[in-house]
Amino acid sequence: MNAEPVWITESQVTALLTLAEAIPALESGLRLQAEGKAESMPKTMLQFGRNNLHALGARLGDHVGTKTWAHTEGGTCPLLLLWNADDGQLAAVIEAFALGNLRTGGTTGLATDWLARKDAGVLAMAGTGKQAMSQVAAVLAVRDIREVRVYSPTAARREEFAARIADEFGGRALRARACGSMAAACDGADVVTLATRAREPFLDAGMLRAGSHVNAIGAIAPDREEFHQDVFDRAAVVAVDDLSSARALSREFRTRYGDDWSAVQTLSERILRQERRPADADTTLFKAMGMGISDLALGTEILRRARQQGVGRSMPAPVKSKPRFFAAPPAPRAG
């Protein structure tokens, strides 16, 4: 008999799983996908004004699930729903803002681990928004970074974020400084992470040092773009998390590849083949769009830990009710 469904809150998610623990869980999920033992459904998105409604999902192990959220200028409230794959019954509802940060940051950490040089020591971080700190933490989790250069077009925001990095990771021998241009941030950087809502590209190939790795995770809608097309020209490896989403939603990739996507690999394929960064690579490029496998890899691990530790609020399983087809007729008048 399946356990009662549980509701898992944001604070419980963060207590159950760290970013460093999310990275191997993501790697396991991607390997299962490459082996044909897990699959994602295509990501869907509806734009309304400057806002977006998103939905994605996957099958992984004993569960299937979907995550949905509205990303609006006023905020967002994502939820991940898990069902038992054998009988379709609800297993969990997981508040998924922190989970999304763990997934997005963890995916960058995983890609950096596979594609960046082992001796990478300098990170250029473009963007200071809600995802930025987890992006920094993810690279720190897989490389011995000694310096983070922060770029934002707004001086106050880049200065404030550099100070936050110093506070957040004060126990490390880590320097964080704000840079007045993307070129300055990239000067000598081994890893470059783009996590912005830019509508026009701001990174070009001439800014990148030989041997660098680029994570592009911000432009996940057709109205956004973070890097110029010449970045592709220098990339010895071009990899994505989800090919179908990149084909449908990435303006950078659609402009470059049109109808021939044979030069684009998935990170899961490289993991399955144990292909890390080529020794002679000039640069490598990873594009993350977000995909259901990644959310389920973390969601199922969080649920497993919650069951083990007795965490989560039990919910009554939904009970079917016969629908009413018409309003009840009025009762006849007495007499």
mmCIF file of all heavy atoms in Angstrom, residues 190-235:
data_model
loop_
_atom_site.group_PDB
_atom_site.id
_atom_site.type_symbol
_atom_site.label_atom_id
_atom_site.label_comp_id
_atom_site.label_asym_id
_atom_site.label_seq_id
_atom_site.Cartn_x
_atom_site.Cartn_y
_atom_site.Cartn_z
ATOM 1 N N ASP A 190 38.176 31.759 -15.827
ATOM 2 C CA ASP A 190 38.158 30.368 -16.296
ATOM 3 C C ASP A 190 36.736 29.862 -16.532
ATOM 4 O O ASP A 190 36.500 29.011 -17.387
ATOM 5 C CB ASP A 190 38.834 29.463 -15.268
ATOM 6 C CG ASP A 190 40.239 29.928 -14.928
ATOM 7 O OD1 ASP A 190 41.074 29.987 -15.847
ATOM 8 O OD2 ASP A 190 40.491 30.249 -13.755
ATOM 9 N N VAL A 191 35.796 30.347 -15.728
ATOM 10 C CA VAL A 191 34.378 29.981 -15.860
ATOM 11 C C VAL A 191 33.581 31.272 -15.944
ATOM 12 O O VAL A 191 33.808 32.199 -15.166
ATOM 13 C CB VAL A 191 33.894 29.147 -14.655
ATOM 14 C CG1 VAL A 191 32.409 28.784 -14.811
ATOM 15 C CG2 VAL A 191 34.735 27.881 -14.489
ATOM 16 N N VAL A 192 32.666 31.323 -16.895
ATOM 17 C CA VAL A 192 31.793 32.483 -17.077
ATOM 18 C C VAL A 192 30.355 32.002 -16.993
ATOM 19 O O VAL A 192 29.950 31.123 -17.766
ATOM 20 C CB VAL A 192 32.041 33.167 -18.439
ATOM 21 C CG1 VAL A 192 31.090 34.345 -18.629
ATOM 22 C CG2 VAL A 192 33.494 33.615 -18.561
ATOM 23 N N THR A 193 29.596 32.533 -16.059
ATOM 24 C CA THR A 193 28.192 32.148 -15.904
ATOM 25 C C THR A 193 27.307 33.350 -16.165
ATOM 26 O O THR A 193 27.512 34.425 -15.594
ATOM 27 C CB THR A 193 27.925 31.584 -14.493
ATOM 28 O OG1 THR A 193 28.698 30.392 -14.306
ATOM 29 C CG2 THR A 193 26.455 31.246 -14.322
ATOM 30 N N LEU A 194 26.315 33.150 -17.040
ATOM 31 C CA LEU A 194 25.368 34.194 -17.417
ATOM 32 C C LEU A 194 24.005 33.826 -16.860
ATOM 33 O O LEU A 194 23.433 32.801 -17.239
ATOM 34 C CB LEU A 194 25.289 34.321 -18.946
ATOM 35 C CG LEU A 194 26.611 34.353 -19.722
ATOM 36 C CD1 LEU A 194 26.345 34.373 -21.220
ATOM 37 C CD2 LEU A 194 27.461 35.552 -19.299
ATOM 38 N N ALA A 195 23.486 34.640 -15.951
ATOM 39 C CA ALA A 195 22.180 34.371 -15.335
ATOM 40 C C ALA A 195 21.406 35.677 -15.282
ATOM 41 O O ALA A 195 21.225 36.275 -14.223
ATOM 42 C CB ALA A 195 22.343 33.772 -13.949
ATOM 43 N N THR A 196 20.966 36.132 -16.447
ATOM 44 C CA THR A 196 20.315 37.434 -16.566
ATOM 45 C C THR A 196 19.004 37.304 -17.325
ATOM 46 O O THR A 196 18.691 36.256 -17.890
ATOM 47 C CB THR A 196 21.213 38.433 -17.324
ATOM 48 O OG1 THR A 196 21.196 38.124 -18.734
ATOM 49 C CG2 THR A 196 22.658 38.383 -16.817
ATOM 50 N N ARG A 197 18.273 38.407 -17.370
ATOM 51 C CA ARG A 197 17.063 38.491 -18.194
ATOM 52 C C ARG A 197 17.296 39.416 -19.393
ATOM 53 O O ARG A 197 16.383 40.090 -19.874
ATOM 54 C CB ARG A 197 15.884 38.973 -17.340
ATOM 55 C CG ARG A 197 15.492 37.974 -16.253
ATOM 56 C CD ARG A 197 14.355 38.478 -15.380
ATOM 57 N NE ARG A 197 13.106 38.643 -16.106
ATOM 58 C CZ ARG A 197 12.261 37.656 -16.398
ATOM 59 N NH1 ARG A 197 12.553 36.422 -16.018
ATOM 60 N NH2 ARG A 197 11.147 37.888 -17.048
ATOM 61 N N ALA A 198 18.531 39.434 -19.869
ATOM 62 C CA ALA A 198 18.906 40.330 -20.963
ATOM 63 C C ALA A 198 18.121 40.017 -22.236
ATOM 64 O O ALA A 198 17.902 38.851 -22.570
ATOM 65 C CB ALA A 198 20.396 40.226 -21.231
ATOM 66 N N ARG A 199 17.751 41.054 -22.932
ATOM 67 C CA ARG A 199 17.042 40.907 -24.208
ATOM 68 C C ARG A 199 17.976 41.086 -25.403
ATOM 69 O O ARG A 199 17.599 40.777 -26.528
ATOM 70 C CB ARG A 199 15.879 41.891 -24.280
ATOM 71 C CG ARG A 199 14.790 41.576 -23.248
ATOM 72 C CD ARG A 199 13.648 42.583 -23.286
ATOM 73 N NE ARG A 199 12.648 42.237 -22.303
ATOM 74 C CZ ARG A 199 11.629 41.396 -22.504
ATOM 75 N NH1 ARG A 199 11.488 40.820 -23.689
ATOM 76 N NH2 ARG A 199 10.760 41.131 -21.555
ATOM 77 N N GLU A 200 19.189 41.583 -25.156
ATOM 78 C CA GLU A 200 20.186 41.741 -26.204
ATOM 79 C C GLU A 200 21.503 41.159 -25.697
ATOM 80 O O GLU A 200 21.829 41.274 -24.511
ATOM 81 C CB GLU A 200 20.376 43.216 -26.566
ATOM 82 C CG GLU A 200 19.127 43.888 -27.107
ATOM 83 C CD GLU A 200 18.649 43.280 -28.424
ATOM 84 O OE1 GLU A 200 19.497 42.715 -29.157
ATOM 85 O OE2 GLU A 200 17.443 43.365 -28.712
ATOM 86 N N PRO A 201 22.298 40.544 -26.572
ATOM 87 C CA PRO A 201 23.539 39.895 -26.127
ATOM 88 C C PRO A 201 24.562 40.900 -25.606
ATOM 89 O O PRO A 201 24.681 42.013 -26.125
ATOM 90 C CB PRO A 201 24.033 39.192 -27.391
ATOM 91 C CG PRO A 201 23.366 39.890 -28.531
ATOM 92 C CD PRO A 201 22.045 40.356 -28.015
ATOM 93 N N PHE A 202 25.303 40.487 -24.580
ATOM 94 C CA PHE A 202 26.304 41.363 -23.982
ATOM 95 C C PHE A 202 27.662 40.688 -23.831
ATOM 96 O O PHE A 202 28.620 41.308 -23.396
ATOM 97 C CB PHE A 202 25.830 41.869 -22.612
ATOM 98 C CG PHE A 202 25.514 40.783 -21.627
ATOM 99 C CD1 PHE A 202 26.494 40.263 -20.791
ATOM 100 C CD2 PHE A 202 24.229 40.256 -21.543
ATOM 101 C CE1 PHE A 202 26.207 39.256 -19.889
ATOM 102 C CE2 PHE A 202 23.937 39.242 -20.636
ATOM 103 C CZ PHE A 202 24.929 38.739 -19.810
ATOM 104 N N LEU A 203 27.760 39.383 -24.161
ATOM 105 C CA LEU A 203 29.033 38.667 -24.122
ATOM 106 C C LEU A 203 29.445 38.319 -25.538
ATOM 107 O O LEU A 203 28.651 37.740 -26.292
ATOM 108 C CB LEU A 203 28.901 37.381 -23.300
ATOM 109 C CG LEU A 203 30.136 36.473 -23.301
ATOM 110 C CD1 LEU A 203 31.227 37.045 -22.408
ATOM 111 C CD2 LEU A 203 29.781 35.046 -22.860
ATOM 112 N N ASP A 204 30.688 38.666 -25.914
ATOM 113 C CA ASP A 204 31.180 38.238 -27.225
ATOM 114 C C ASP A 204 32.437 37.402 -27.054
ATOM 115 O O ASP A 204 33.070 37.380 -25.987
ATOM 116 C CB ASP A 204 31.415 39.423 -28.161
ATOM 117 C CG ASP A 204 32.496 40.372 -27.665
ATOM 118 O OD1 ASP A 204 33.650 39.936 -27.493
ATOM 119 O OD2 ASP A 204 32.192 41.564 -27.469
ATOM 120 N N ALA A 205 32.817 36.711 -28.122
ATOM 121 C CA ALA A 205 33.907 35.739 -28.048
ATOM 122 C C ALA A 205 35.230 36.380 -27.671
ATOM 123 O O ALA A 205 36.071 35.753 -27.019
ATOM 124 C CB ALA A 205 34.031 35.009 -29.377
ATOM 125 N N GLY A 206 35.439 37.640 -28.074
ATOM 126 C CA GLY A 206 36.698 38.310 -27.779
ATOM 127 C C GLY A 206 36.934 38.535 -26.305
ATOM 128 O O GLY A 206 38.078 38.783 -25.887
ATOM 129 N N MET A 207 35.888 38.457 -25.478
ATOM 130 C CA MET A 207 36.039 38.635 -24.038
ATOM 131 C C MET A 207 36.549 37.380 -23.338
ATOM 132 O O MET A 207 37.011 37.449 -22.194
ATOM 133 C CB MET A 207 34.689 39.020 -23.417
ATOM 134 C CG MET A 207 34.103 40.315 -23.926
ATOM 135 S SD MET A 207 32.451 40.589 -23.191
ATOM 136 C CE MET A 207 31.928 42.066 -24.077
ATOM 137 N N LEU A 208 36.470 36.231 -23.999
ATOM 138 C CA LEU A 208 36.761 34.958 -23.345
ATOM 139 C C LEU A 208 38.232 34.591 -23.468
ATOM 140 O O LEU A 208 38.807 34.663 -24.560
ATOM 141 C CB LEU A 208 35.907 33.848 -23.971
ATOM 142 C CG LEU A 208 34.387 34.032 -23.866
ATOM 143 C CD1 LEU A 208 33.678 32.964 -24.693
ATOM 144 C CD2 LEU A 208 33.941 33.983 -22.411
ATOM 145 N N ARG A 209 38.818 34.155 -22.378
ATOM 146 C CA ARG A 209 40.190 33.679 -22.418
ATOM 147 C C ARG A 209 40.233 32.266 -22.978
ATOM 148 O O ARG A 209 39.249 31.506 -22.891
ATOM 149 C CB ARG A 209 40.817 33.692 -21.021
ATOM 150 C CG ARG A 209 40.241 32.668 -20.070
ATOM 151 C CD ARG A 209 41.082 32.522 -18.810
ATOM 152 N NE ARG A 209 42.402 31.971 -19.096
ATOM 153 C CZ ARG A 209 43.325 31.704 -18.177
ATOM 154 N NH1 ARG A 209 43.086 31.978 -16.894
ATOM 155 N NH2 ARG A 209 44.484 31.191 -18.504
ATOM 156 N N ALA A 210 41.351 31.888 -23.564
ATOM 157 C CA ALA A 210 41.520 30.518 -24.036
ATOM 158 C C ALA A 210 41.433 29.571 -22.845
ATOM 159 O O ALA A 210 42.009 29.826 -21.791
ATOM 160 C CB ALA A 210 42.852 30.365 -24.745
ATOM 161 N N GLY A 211 40.688 28.492 -23.011
ATOM 162 C CA GLY A 211 40.534 27.504 -21.942
ATOM 163 C C GLY A 211 39.349 27.741 -21.036
ATOM 164 O O GLY A 211 39.186 27.043 -20.037
ATOM 165 N N SER A 212 38.500 28.692 -21.371
ATOM 166 C CA SER A 212 37.369 29.018 -20.498
ATOM 167 C C SER A 212 36.161 28.125 -20.777
ATOM 168 O O SER A 212 36.090 27.434 -21.792
ATOM 169 C CB SER A 212 36.970 30.485 -20.657
ATOM 170 O OG SER A 212 36.567 30.748 -21.990
ATOM 171 N N HIS A 213 35.229 28.166 -19.844
ATOM 172 C CA HIS A 213 33.953 27.466 -19.985
ATOM 173 C C HIS A 213 32.829 28.452 -19.702
ATOM 174 O O HIS A 213 32.914 29.248 -18.763
ATOM 175 C CB HIS A 213 33.851 26.290 -19.020
ATOM 176 C CG HIS A 213 32.468 25.723 -18.917
ATOM 177 N ND1 HIS A 213 31.844 25.091 -19.975
ATOM 178 C CD2 HIS A 213 31.555 25.738 -17.894
ATOM 179 C CE1 HIS A 213 30.623 24.727 -19.603
ATOM 180 N NE2 HIS A 213 30.419 25.105 -18.360
ATOM 181 N N VAL A 214 31.765 28.408 -20.511
ATOM 182 C CA VAL A 214 30.631 29.329 -20.377
ATOM 183 C C VAL A 214 29.374 28.558 -20.016
ATOM 184 O O VAL A 214 29.015 27.578 -20.694
ATOM 185 C CB VAL A 214 30.380 30.119 -21.680
ATOM 186 C CG1 VAL A 214 29.165 31.040 -21.534
ATOM 187 C CG2 VAL A 214 31.615 30.920 -22.077
ATOM 188 N N ASN A 215 28.706 28.992 -18.942
ATOM 189 C CA ASN A 215 27.367 28.507 -18.593
ATOM 190 C C ASN A 215 26.368 29.605 -18.927
ATOM 191 O O ASN A 215 26.428 30.690 -18.348
ATOM 192 C CB ASN A 215 27.272 28.214 -17.090
ATOM 193 C CG ASN A 215 28.211 27.118 -16.638
ATOM 194 O OD1 ASN A 215 28.173 26.009 -17.147
ATOM 195 N ND2 ASN A 215 29.067 27.431 -15.669
ATOM 196 N N ALA A 216 25.454 29.346 -19.840
ATOM 197 C CA ALA A 216 24.431 30.329 -20.211
ATOM 198 C C ALA A 216 23.087 29.812 -19.730
ATOM 199 O O ALA A 216 22.536 28.869 -20.304
ATOM 200 C CB ALA A 216 24.416 30.544 -21.719
ATOM 201 N N ILE A 217 22.528 30.417 -18.682
ATOM 202 C CA ILE A 217 21.325 29.846 -18.084
ATOM 203 C C ILE A 217 20.160 30.839 -18.010
ATOM 204 O O ILE A 217 19.076 30.476 -17.591
ATOM 205 C CB ILE A 217 21.618 29.273 -16.675
ATOM 206 C CG1 ILE A 217 21.900 30.372 -15.655
ATOM 207 C CG2 ILE A 217 22.759 28.286 -16.716
ATOM 208 C CD1 ILE A 217 20.802 30.640 -14.703
ATOM 209 N N GLY A 218 20.374 32.081 -18.437
ATOM 210 C CA GLY A 218 19.341 33.086 -18.225
ATOM 211 C C GLY A 218 18.318 33.212 -19.330
ATOM 212 O O GLY A 218 17.141 33.429 -19.069
ATOM 213 N N ALA A 219 18.739 33.089 -20.574
ATOM 214 C CA ALA A 219 17.843 33.352 -21.704
ATOM 215 C C ALA A 219 17.070 32.082 -22.064
ATOM 216 O O ALA A 219 17.475 31.312 -22.930
ATOM 217 C CB ALA A 219 18.640 33.857 -22.903
ATOM 218 N N ILE A 220 15.931 31.867 -21.390
ATOM 219 C CA ILE A 220 15.152 30.637 -21.611
ATOM 220 C C ILE A 220 13.835 30.920 -22.323
ATOM 221 O O ILE A 220 12.947 30.086 -22.330
ATOM 222 C CB ILE A 220 14.896 29.912 -20.282
ATOM 223 C CG1 ILE A 220 14.134 30.804 -19.298
ATOM 224 C CG2 ILE A 220 16.204 29.426 -19.679
ATOM 225 C CD1 ILE A 220 13.662 30.075 -18.050
ATOM 226 N N ALA A 221 13.730 32.092 -22.925
ATOM 227 C CA ALA A 221 12.543 32.454 -23.692
ATOM 228 C C ALA A 221 13.001 33.126 -24.984
ATOM 229 O O ALA A 221 14.089 33.713 -25.033
ATOM 230 C CB ALA A 221 11.643 33.386 -22.887
ATOM 231 N N PRO A 222 12.191 33.063 -26.038
ATOM 232 C CA PRO A 222 12.629 33.589 -27.342
ATOM 233 C C PRO A 222 12.867 35.092 -27.373
ATOM 234 O O PRO A 222 13.458 35.596 -28.337
ATOM 235 C CB PRO A 222 11.466 33.207 -28.268
ATOM 236 C CG PRO A 222 10.766 32.089 -27.599
ATOM 237 C CD PRO A 222 10.907 32.350 -26.129
ATOM 238 N N ASP A 223 12.425 35.820 -26.361
ATOM 239 C CA ASP A 223 12.659 37.262 -26.345
ATOM 240 C C ASP A 223 13.928 37.640 -25.592
ATOM 241 O O ASP A 223 14.175 38.819 -25.349
ATOM 242 C CB ASP A 223 11.452 37.991 -25.735
ATOM 243 C CG ASP A 223 11.191 37.598 -24.281
ATOM 244 O OD1 ASP A 223 11.684 36.527 -23.862
ATOM 245 O OD2 ASP A 223 10.502 38.355 -23.575
ATOM 246 N N ARG A 224 14.759 36.658 -25.229
ATOM 247 C CA ARG A 224 15.977 36.937 -24.466
ATOM 248 C C ARG A 224 17.206 36.394 -25.190
ATOM 249 O O ARG A 224 17.132 35.432 -25.953
ATOM 250 C CB ARG A 224 15.899 36.308 -23.074
ATOM 251 C CG ARG A 224 14.712 36.745 -22.252
ATOM 252 C CD ARG A 224 14.811 36.167 -20.847
ATOM 253 N NE ARG A 224 13.504 35.941 -20.260
ATOM 254 C CZ ARG A 224 13.300 35.204 -19.182
ATOM 255 N NH1 ARG A 224 14.328 34.626 -18.577
ATOM 256 N NH2 ARG A 224 12.085 35.041 -18.695
ATOM 257 N N GLU A 225 18.339 37.024 -24.915
ATOM 258 C CA GLU A 225 19.596 36.610 -25.543
ATOM 259 C C GLU A 225 20.737 37.171 -24.696
ATOM 260 O O GLU A 225 20.724 38.344 -24.331
ATOM 261 C CB GLU A 225 19.669 37.153 -26.973
ATOM 262 C CG GLU A 225 20.660 36.469 -27.864
ATOM 263 C CD GLU A 225 20.447 36.793 -29.331
ATOM 264 O OE1 GLU A 225 19.577 37.638 -29.646
ATOM 265 O OE2 GLU A 225 21.165 36.225 -30.172
ATOM 266 N N GLU A 226 21.742 36.340 -24.410
ATOM 267 C CA GLU A 226 22.844 36.776 -23.545
ATOM 268 C C GLU A 226 24.186 36.846 -24.251
ATOM 269 O O GLU A 226 25.038 37.649 -23.849
ATOM 270 C CB GLU A 226 22.958 35.821 -22.346
ATOM 271 C CG GLU A 226 21.767 35.858 -21.400
ATOM 272 C CD GLU A 226 21.935 34.937 -20.207
ATOM 273 O OE1 GLU A 226 22.186 33.730 -20.427
ATOM 274 O OE2 GLU A 226 21.807 35.418 -19.072
ATOM 275 N N PHE A 227 24.433 36.027 -25.264
ATOM 276 C CA PHE A 227 25.756 36.036 -25.893
ATOM 277 C C PHE A 227 25.638 36.138 -27.418
ATOM 278 O O PHE A 227 24.655 35.716 -28.020
ATOM 279 C CB PHE A 227 26.577 34.807 -25.495
ATOM 280 C CG PHE A 227 25.970 33.480 -25.886
ATOM 281 C CD1 PHE A 227 26.205 32.919 -27.134
ATOM 282 C CD2 PHE A 227 25.179 32.773 -24.991
ATOM 283 C CE1 PHE A 227 25.660 31.696 -27.495
ATOM 284 C CE2 PHE A 227 24.627 31.551 -25.326
ATOM 285 C CZ PHE A 227 24.867 31.016 -26.585
ATOM 286 N N HIS A 228 26.683 36.727 -28.008
ATOM 287 C CA HIS A 228 26.735 36.897 -29.459
ATOM 288 C C HIS A 228 27.057 35.572 -30.151
ATOM 289 O O HIS A 228 27.629 34.649 -29.558
ATOM 290 C CB HIS A 228 27.785 37.946 -29.827
ATOM 291 C CG HIS A 228 27.407 39.344 -29.457
ATOM 292 N ND1 HIS A 228 26.607 40.133 -30.249
ATOM 293 C CD2 HIS A 228 27.718 40.097 -28.359
ATOM 294 C CE1 HIS A 228 26.446 41.323 -29.684
ATOM 295 N NE2 HIS A 228 27.105 41.331 -28.531
ATOM 296 N N GLN A 229 26.733 35.520 -31.432
ATOM 297 C CA GLN A 229 26.904 34.290 -32.194
ATOM 298 C C GLN A 229 28.358 33.852 -32.319
ATOM 299 O O GLN A 229 28.639 32.658 -32.493
ATOM 300 C CB GLN A 229 26.279 34.461 -33.583
ATOM 301 C CG GLN A 229 24.761 34.592 -33.577
ATOM 302 C CD GLN A 229 24.075 33.299 -33.171
ATOM 303 O OE1 GLN A 229 24.255 32.280 -33.837
ATOM 304 N NE2 GLN A 229 23.314 33.320 -32.090
ATOM 305 N N ASP A 230 29.314 34.783 -32.208
ATOM 306 C CA ASP A 230 30.705 34.384 -32.378
ATOM 307 C C ASP A 230 31.212 33.514 -31.227
ATOM 308 O O ASP A 230 32.263 32.877 -31.345
ATOM 309 C CB ASP A 230 31.614 35.600 -32.583
ATOM 310 C CG ASP A 230 31.593 36.590 -31.426
ATOM 311 O OD1 ASP A 230 30.834 36.373 -30.446
ATOM 312 O OD2 ASP A 230 32.317 37.607 -31.506
ATOM 313 N N VAL A 231 30.472 33.434 -30.115
ATOM 314 C CA VAL A 231 30.855 32.523 -29.038
ATOM 315 C C VAL A 231 30.810 31.081 -29.526
ATOM 316 O O VAL A 231 31.657 30.248 -29.164
ATOM 317 C CB VAL A 231 29.944 32.733 -27.806
ATOM 318 C CG1 VAL A 231 30.181 31.648 -26.748
ATOM 319 C CG2 VAL A 231 30.176 34.117 -27.206
ATOM 320 N N PHE A 232 29.831 30.768 -30.377
ATOM 321 C CA PHE A 232 29.747 29.410 -30.937
ATOM 322 C C PHE A 232 31.011 29.058 -31.722
ATOM 323 O O PHE A 232 31.439 27.899 -31.733
ATOM 324 C CB PHE A 232 28.540 29.283 -31.854
ATOM 325 C CG PHE A 232 27.209 29.253 -31.156
ATOM 326 C CD1 PHE A 232 26.325 30.309 -31.301
ATOM 327 C CD2 PHE A 232 26.829 28.173 -30.378
ATOM 328 C CE1 PHE A 232 25.082 30.288 -30.680
ATOM 329 C CE2 PHE A 232 25.593 28.139 -29.752
ATOM 330 C CZ PHE A 232 24.722 29.195 -29.900
ATOM 331 N N ASP A 233 31.596 30.046 -32.412
ATOM 332 C CA ASP A 233 32.744 29.775 -33.278
ATOM 333 C C ASP A 233 33.949 29.255 -32.503
ATOM 334 O O ASP A 233 34.766 28.513 -33.047
ATOM 335 C CB ASP A 233 33.145 31.055 -34.030
ATOM 336 C CG ASP A 233 32.049 31.548 -34.967
ATOM 337 O OD1 ASP A 233 31.283 30.709 -35.468
ATOM 338 O OD2 ASP A 233 31.970 32.777 -35.189
ATOM 339 N N ARG A 234 34.062 29.629 -31.241
ATOM 340 C CA ARG A 234 35.221 29.219 -30.447
ATOM 341 C C ARG A 234 34.955 27.978 -29.594
ATOM 342 O O ARG A 234 35.886 27.456 -28.972
ATOM 343 C CB ARG A 234 35.668 30.368 -29.544
ATOM 344 C CG ARG A 234 36.324 31.512 -30.300
ATOM 345 C CD ARG A 234 36.882 32.547 -29.351
ATOM 346 N NE ARG A 234 37.786 31.967 -28.354
ATOM 347 C CZ ARG A 234 38.305 32.653 -27.340
ATOM 348 N NH1 ARG A 234 38.001 33.934 -27.187
ATOM 349 N NH2 ARG A 234 39.107 32.065 -26.474
ATOM 350 N N ALA A 235 33.729 27.518 -29.571
ATOM 351 C CA ALA A 235 33.362 26.434 -28.657
ATOM 352 C C ALA A 235 33.710 25.070 -29.248
ATOM 353 O O ALA A 235 33.160 24.674 -30.279
ATOM 354 C CB ALA A 235 31.888 26.508 -28.324
#
